[in-house]
Amino acid sequence: MSSAIIARFDRIGDCMRGACAVQDGALRSVMQFSADEDFAKHLDVQDPFRSFREQFHLPLGKNGKPLIYFAGNSLGLMPKSAKQIVEQELHDWAMLGVNAHLDAKTPWYSYHETVRDSSARLVGAKPNEVICMNSLTVNLHLMMATFYHPTKSRFKILMEDPAFPSDTYAIKTQIVHHGLNPKDSLLLASPRQGEFIVQTDAILDLIERHRDELAVVLIGGVNFFTGQLFDIPTITAAAQKHGITVGVDLAHTIGNVRLSLHDWNVDFAVWCSYKYLNAGPGAVAGAFVHERHASNTELPRLAGWFGNDPNTRFRMHLEPEFIPVPSADGWQVSNPPILAMAPLRASLAIFDEAGGMEPLREKSIRLTSYLQFLLESERDKRSKQRYTVITPREMNERGCQLSIQAHEYPQELFNKLEAFGVICDFREPNVIRVAPTPLYNTFHEVWRFAKILTQ
Ligand SMILES: *Cc1c(COP(=O)(O)O)cnc(C)c1O
């Protein structure tokens, strides 16, 4: 490995700190990698987050060594601190019974408030715009109950294609719920023939063509299949110009890329917490309602007692009128599931300790760019292409995931990866999704993965 390469690479750190201002093309021209194993190890030594890996349980292979875990886009790894936090709640339940609502170490009554600020930072929101509750799909339905009110002329919903199945089910049933037909009411922004990426222009064009009929644009921040990161501010502005409401599904976006939902003026967003947020299976999800809506207690909603003003919440039989909290809390339906919310506290504390998404995204860009470099440099050596990365090449058009389309024997290739100790996932018919994450993956793991894939 030449020292010149290292020296150039070190300077990228400075360059990337101002990443917003730096054009992507300029960045890539500075980023220089080497395929040497020593270079990967050097990147790990330089990695400011290398100690964070210690904070997670790493699944082990038969040889007792950690597997290469690239499935954080499906289920993030368990923070070691999660166990103690959950045990504390079990302990408080055992010792205090119902009194734990107010007397637990972390009182259950206001438990959702303990995850509010950190969650707001991750999505670029004000604390009063965020509520952690339920699961993603449930939150999507709750948001649609508030924001989708089709009229004779304005009734269409625009989504990207392919959208995650649960979102499609939710949206189609929302349409049917209003007595409409998805055939006329659901618009899909699809990739061009033979392509995988949905061009922003195609989305903007659809918005323009249906500007008087669209009620809602619902876009995945990062597409689950291709890993494409959509240009949320541009799409939001284009839709809102015509009075169209914009919602974003952040399942693959939160904890993955930087977000500024408040400044982008997004109307609503929903996310789950078990993917890049590492909050555990079925962890409590979240929702964002922009301040200008969140403070509007007149907005229709599907309400429950925990969305009610806490001062009158327990006077239900005396004051049966629903008085929503004038913040995103006003959409909370039930009392928080404490045992499912406890690991979220452990997880968010790690993101806070890391300094939030800005520095993490910086590492993430290096990690995924390095993977891309290794895959491409190997592929270039072969006359026949065995696979294609279908994720956008531009780093600000993707998160940490690369989706690799295998042209020959995809299932066999996936099985081989598994046999060599890689955990990633396979989407029919032939796409392998790999998501190296900045909190617990290393550059050397990326190097080993590329070696296994290209062998
Ligand atoms: C993972 C994921 C979901 C999951 O929904 P749940 O309600 O949490 O089970 C929904 N939408 C998208 C885009 C996802 O990636």
Side-chain angles (χ1 to χ4, degrees):
M1 169 181 38
S2 86
S3 57
I5 288 175
I6 296 175
R8 285 201 77 188
F9 191 80
D10 286 346
R11 269 190 281 125
I12 299 166
D14 305 327
C15 168
M16 286 220 259
R17 258 179 281 283
C20 277
V22 181
Q23 283 305 304
D24 188 28
L27 259 180
R28 206 178 47 235
S29 68
V30 198
M31 207 169 327
Q32 299 271 339
F33 294 115
S34 151
D36 291 349
E37 183 172 11
D38 280 351
F39 184 76
K41 290 181 172 169
H42 174 77
L43 292 179
D44 282 328
V45 170
Q46 301 261 301
D47 172 14
F49 293 109
R50 66 186 173 279
S51 67
F52 278 75
R53 182 172 164 88
E54 307 285 314
Q55 299 201 33
F56 293 88
H57 286 289
L58 306 168
L60 303 178
K62 288 198 194 81
N63 60 6
K65 295 206 173 119
L67 297 166
I68 298 178
Y69 195 82
F70 283 174
N73 53 353
S74 283
L75 184 75
L77 289 181
M78 175 179 164
K80 289 177 180 167
S81 52
K83 189 160 184 244
Q84 197 233 319
I85 293 193
V86 175
E87 278 175 355
Q88 178 73 48
E89 306 313 335
L90 288 169
H91 174 84
D92 289 346
W93 180 22
M95 293 296 145
L96 301 169
V98 69
N99 288 339
H101 281 299
L102 296 177
D103 298 340
K105 185 160 180 244
T106 308
W108 296 346
Y109 189 64
S110 49
Y111 210 82
H112 61 286
E113 292 173 11
T114 66
V115 289
R116 177 191 288 157
D117 289 9
S118 308
S119 302
R121 280 193 284 276
L122 285 178
V123 296
K126 295 186 176 182
N128 62 1
E129 295 174 318
V130 165
I131 175 68
C132 294
M133 58 178 184
N134 312 318
S135 54
L136 185 154
T137 311
V138 169
N139 289 344
L140 180 55
H141 277 300
L142 293 179
M143 290 297 114
M144 293 300 283
T146 293
F147 292 105
Y148 181 52
H149 294 284
T151 64
K152 271 222 146 34
S153 54
R154 215 182 250 288
F155 56 93
K156 292 188 178 172
I157 299 175
L158 172 67
M159 296 173 83
E160 88 259 31
D161 178 31
F164 194 80
S166 194
D167 299 47
T168 305
Y169 303 149
I171 294 306
K172 282 188 174 174
T173 54
Q174 280 285 334
I175 290 170
V176 171
H177 176 70
H178 286 281
L180 300 169
N181 187 340
K183 273 207 181 73
D184 320 312
S185 303
L186 183 59
L187 278 178
L188 294 179
S190 306
R192 283 192 295 241
Q193 187 77 30
E195 292 183 7
F196 288 93
I197 301 313
V198 184
Q199 302 296 331
T200 306
D201 284 348
I203 298 175
L204 301 185
D205 186 49
L206 272 174
I207 292 173
E208 278 305 318
R209 281 195 283 139
H210 298 268
R211 60 178 178 261
D212 298 324
E213 297 158 339
L214 274 168
V216 173
V217 170
L218 178 71
I219 209 89
V222 172
N223 182 269
F224 78 100
F225 183 63
T226 61
Q228 174 181 10
L229 167 59
F230 288 99
D231 185 344
I232 302 170
T234 300
I235 294 167
T236 303
Q240 288 177 343
K241 199 170 71 186
H242 302 299
I244 303 162
T245 298
V246 178
V248 189
D249 180 328
L250 301 175
H252 283 260
T253 322
I254 190 167
N256 183 11
V257 303
R258 286 182 294 168
L259 291 161
S260 303
L261 296 185
H262 177 85
D263 290 345
W264 296 341
N265 207 40
V266 167
D267 292 284
F268 71 88
V270 290
W271 60 88
C272 53
S273 306
Y274 50 81
K275 293 173 180 169
Y276 296 112
L277 281 198
N278 313 312
V284 170
F288 163 91
V289 184
H290 196 280
E291 194 174 42
R292 66 186 188 285
H293 304 305
S295 60
N296 181 359
T297 55
E298 301 293 311
L299 280 181
R301 67 194 79 197
L302 298 181
W305 67 326
F306 265 64
N308 195 80
D309 176 2
N311 297 315
T312 58
R313 185 174 296 153
F314 283 101
R315 295 173 55 80
M316 298 167 278
H317 52 296
L318 303 172
E319 299 178 40
E321 209 57 53
F322 174 66
I323 304 169
V325 183
S327 73
D329 279 12
W331 275 263
Q332 197 178 22
V333 179
S334 301
N335 72 102
I338 302 302
L339 297 180
M341 205 178 254
L344 179 58
R345 288 174 54 215
S347 145
L348 291 172
I350 296 176
F351 277 91
D352 282 339
E353 187 188 336
M357 278 321 295
E358 190 133 343
L360 280 172
R361 174 72 166 143
E362 201 176 294
K363 171 176 172 185
S364 176
I365 286 174
R366 289 187 192 204
L367 204 55
T368 297
S369 301
Y370 182 49
L371 175 57
Q372 180 177 354
F373 163 82
L374 292 174
L375 296 183
E376 286 182 351
S377 57
E378 188 58 38
R379 205 192 57 189
D380 291 346
K381 287 190 217 149
R382 297 167 184 272
S383 50
K384 199 161 154 220
Q385 293 195 358
R386 291 189 303 151
Y387 53 82
T388 309
V389 175
I390 63 172
T391 308
R393 297 193 78 265
E394 303 302 322
M395 60 187 86
N396 50 20
E397 289 174 21
R398 66 174 187 220
C400 72
Q401 170 184 323
L402 291 187
S403 302
I404 302 165
Q405 184 191 32
H407 300 304
E408 298 167 346
Y409 311 111
Q411 186 68 54
E412 286 75 4
L413 183 61
F414 178 71
N415 295 346
K416 194 184 96 177
L417 286 169
E418 254 186 346
F420 278 90
V422 177
I423 301 187
C424 54
D425 86 4
F426 183 69
R427 291 281 155 155
E428 296 286 349
N430 61 357
V431 171
I432 294 167
R433 303 185 308 165
V434 289
T437 66
L439 277 174
Y440 50 75
N441 287 123
T442 66
F443 289 89
H444 193 242
E445 285 179 314
V446 164
W447 184 88
R448 282 165 55 215
F449 170 84
K451 199 89 194 145
I452 295 166
L453 186 77
T454 54
Q455 249 164 21

